[in-house]
Amino acid sequence: MYSATTISRIWPQALESIAQMVGSRTTVLSMHNIARQATEFNLAVGADPAGVDSYEQHFHRLNPWLNASQSSVSGVVPGEAYVPYESLRRTEFFNDFGRKHGIVHTAAAVLDVEGSHVAYLSINRGEEMNKFSAAEMQMVECLLPHLKRALQISRHLDFAEDVKRSWDSLLAGMILIQDGRVHSFNSA
């Protein structure tokens, strides 16, 4: 799990493993900016790429679970806890997106909150499948501390990589000395 942070191509494998474990049609790791009502990052395993684009461009604004959930909720929560199935069936999200892309029964967990940014994990099934059982949600619940830590590590590595790119883009040669020894230097 933690190795997923060091190589971005591993995240899809981690999500695929979760999907196989609980029998989800799609498993999604996403970052939403609640203040801007924008999806800033969306990695969806098992999803049609056109559906992902459609979600990012339009349907995230209509996602009844996202709109109803609170970023302070802990644990894996079934979608029905936020939006009853009969209410969901009357939404544009359900009729124009969820049914088509197998996102009808869902369970989700908040992985991280930073300002107005909220990172979620969601597992999803189509209408033809059963909703997630308590046992299936408990399996995902056991993974949450590891997923949260992997996400934190990933953010730190992304920041370090950004600093390294900035450092290496300098035209002048730079040397960082720490405790009297050369700690690092840029590529100039």
Side-chain angles (χ1 to χ4, degrees), residues 112-177:
D112 191 39
V113 178
E114 186 176 310
S116 63
H117 297 85
V118 181
Y120 293 94
L121 171 74
S122 68
I123 52 176
N124 307 282
R125 288 182 175 160
E127 192 172 24
E128 72 286 356
M129 301 173 78
N130 293 326
K131 42 185 173 172
F132 291 97
S133 69
E136 290 166 329
M137 288 188 290
Q138 183 61 41
M139 285 190 285
V140 176
E141 182 94 29
C142 290
L143 296 175
L144 289 183
H146 309 289
L147 291 168
K148 289 176 180 185
R149 182 67 180 138
L151 190 60
Q152 290 171 346
I153 292 168
S154 182
R155 283 196 176 152
H156 289 293
L157 291 174
D158 287 346
F159 177 75
E161 186 61 32
D162 288 345
V163 169
K164 173 102 173 83
R165 274 195 299 274
S166 296
W167 179 253
D168 283 341
S169 70
L170 296 173
L171 297 176
M174 303 293 287
I175 300 172
L176 177 62
I177 299 174

Side-chain angles (χ1 to χ4, degrees), residues 34-104:
I34 302 301
R36 289 186 25 234
Q37 291 190 330
T39 299
E40 295 184 342
F41 175 80
N42 206 27
L43 178 58
V45 171
D48 172 23
V52 173
D53 290 343
S54 178
Y55 180 83
E56 289 174 353
Q57 296 301 313
H58 177 68
F59 285 100
H60 76 274
R61 291 181 195 92
L62 303 176
N63 182 334
W65 299 296
L66 182 61
N67 294 333
S69 67
Q70 300 296 315
S71 60
S72 61
V73 172
S74 64
V76 178
V77 179
E80 292 83 8
Y82 297 118
V83 181
Y85 183 70
E86 287 307 314
S87 297
L88 175 68
R89 290 174 52 100
R90 293 189 297 270
T91 66
E92 179 182 346
F93 181 89
F94 175 87
N95 289 296
D96 294 347
F97 181 78
R99 289 176 103 175
K100 179 180 181 181
H101 296 286
I103 302 175
V104 172

Side-chain angles (χ1 to χ4, degrees), residues 176-187:
L176 177 62
I177 299 174
Q178 184 176 2
D179 297 326
R181 298 185 355 205
V182 173
H183 181 265
S184 63
F185 52 90
N186 68 349
S187 59

